Amino acid sequence: MSATSANKDDFFAQTAVPERFSEKYELMKEFVSKHRAIGNRVVLVSSGGTTVPLESRTVRFIDNFSIGTRGSASAEYPLYFLQHGYAVIFLYRLRSLEPYSRHLQRRLMDMLEVKGDSVTVKHDHTSSLKSILQQYEGVKAKDLLLSIDFTSLAEYLHLLRASAQILNAIHSKALLYLAAAVSDFYIPKHEMPEHKIQSSTDKPLQLSLQLVPKMLKPLVKEWAPDAFVVSFKLETDRNILIKKALSALDKYQHQVVIANLLDTRKYEVVLVTKETEKPILLSKEDSDKGLEIEEEIVKQLIARHKHFIES
Ligand code: 9Z3
């Protein structure tokens, strides 16, 4: 596998505008302008992994580990803090976890039981289910959540650019929370076979991937220059994590990097700014009680975003 790099214009030129793009664009535009009119802040939460197709008529693709726990959990918390007046665009990988329904996805079968002719919720799950449904209904009634899906890297980046440009209309009231696990490598359209790669040639498969241009740069400089931007840095080596986070802040000049390690990401992150490094930890005890680290991450960010807007 070898890799060379392209610039962002090449990338967008080499990748077709995704299906249903204009419909999604209009939904985001309408959502932002509605919340702008009532003075709400809007947060874009990106979530889940991107695929990198190996064929135009895609049978195979490269993927990554992310199932969107961070993004889907985080999208719920600004809504818990309704007094902070946030609406959420949830840009997520299709079939990854989603806010509210994530609580049911793996447990639904254990929550229900058959009683005579009907299906009911088991007694010990009633109150948690009721609370999730109430929160969800409140969010729906106030139209505070817009979910937009993507699958491939190209779809994600086209939608990221569009949403950032749309959000710039609300200037500093926009918060971009980029938790999606985005591929660093891709195969440009003109180098991709149209049909399924054949295995009958007896030769090992050789792939040549290009480096995806770093989109944080145009995002901060051109697409949403007034927004509060939070990126995530994922590493597996603790020794380079903070250095890489600081280097991203220096290169892209945005506000915050949340640094996390693959193995400990649910219990430990560091909120890094140019001036500060703030560890956020979730104890085993709190985790056993069902608490999540995203609540504290979002609390911290809401406070910093408030300060950013005021200054
Ligand atoms: C993250 O670091 C997220 O916290 C995770 C969440 C993807 C680890 P899960 O979905 O995991 O809850 O299982 N996201 C950003 C990862 C990323 O692609 N960052 C790039 C990098 O580190 C640049 S923005 O270079």
Side-chain angles (χ1 to χ4, degrees), residues 65-70 178-182 231-234 260 265:
F65 68 93
S66 168
I67 56 159
T69 308
R70 175 83 79 226
L178 306 176
V182 183
S231 73
F232 281 71
K233 174 57 69 186
L234 174 72
N260 56 176
R265 66 190 189 279

Side-chain angles (χ1 to χ4, degrees), residues 8-9 165 168 216-225:
K8 75 163 185 347
D9 296 326
Q165 287 169 337
N168 204 45
L216 257 183
K217 197 173 187 175
L219 183 140
V220 174
K221 276 214 160 122
E222 300 166 30
W223 305 339

Side-chain angles (χ1 to χ4, degrees), residues 39-213:
N40 279 345
R41 296 166 196 180
V42 182
V43 49
L44 172 80
V45 175
S46 77
S47 182
T50 57
T51 65
V52 174
L54 303 188
E55 300 121 343
S56 286
R57 301 185 188 206
T58 309
V59 174
R60 302 188 183 93
F61 51 81
I62 302 173
D63 203 348
N64 66 51
F65 68 93
S66 168
I67 56 159
T69 308
R70 175 83 79 226
S72 60
S74 305
E76 287 175 15
Y77 287 110
L79 308 175
Y80 274 151
F81 303 119
L82 283 185
Q83 67 270 31
H84 293 281
Y86 278 88
V88 176
I89 298 177
F90 184 62
L91 181 57
Y92 76 107
R93 163 76 179 275
L94 190 65
R95 290 190 280 278
S96 68
L97 296 177
E98 292 181 57
Y100 306 105
S101 66
R102 75 188 173 104
H103 299 282
L104 313 177
Q105 257 156 307
R106 272 173 284 171
R107 290 163 46 215
L108 194 61
M109 301 302 280
D110 296 324
M111 290 176 135
L112 302 176
E113 64 185 343
V114 178
K115 272 198 180 154
D117 280 345
S118 45
V119 174
T120 56
V121 177
K122 282 185 193 159
H123 183 68
D124 45 341
H125 290 292
T126 310
S127 72
S128 67
L129 192 56
K130 188 174 158 201
S131 145
I132 294 161
L133 286 172
Q134 279 172 335
Q135 286 166 43
Y136 178 65
E137 279 168 12
V139 162
K140 244 181 33 188
K142 292 191 177 154
D143 193 18
L144 287 171
L145 177 63
L146 173 68
S147 296
I148 301 284
D149 64 82
F150 65 83
T151 299
S152 69
L153 168 75
E155 274 179 311
Y156 171 72
L157 290 177
H158 277 270
L159 288 164
L160 176 68
R161 178 174 64 172
S163 52
Q165 287 169 337
I166 291 169
L167 278 166
N168 204 45
I170 57 166
H171 307 286
S172 63
K173 284 188 171 176
L175 195 166
L176 278 72
Y177 182 94
L178 306 176
V182 183
S183 173
D184 283 325
F185 307 101
Y186 78 114
I187 302 177
K189 196 137 192 70
H190 61 267
E191 290 176 19
M192 210 188 279
E194 182 185 351
H195 292 287
K196 184 182 169 216
I197 299 170
Q198 295 299 310
S199 60
S200 51
T201 59
D202 285 348
K203 285 191 198 134
L205 176 61
Q206 299 226 346
L207 295 175
S208 171
L209 304 181
Q210 286 207 13
L211 264 179
V212 177

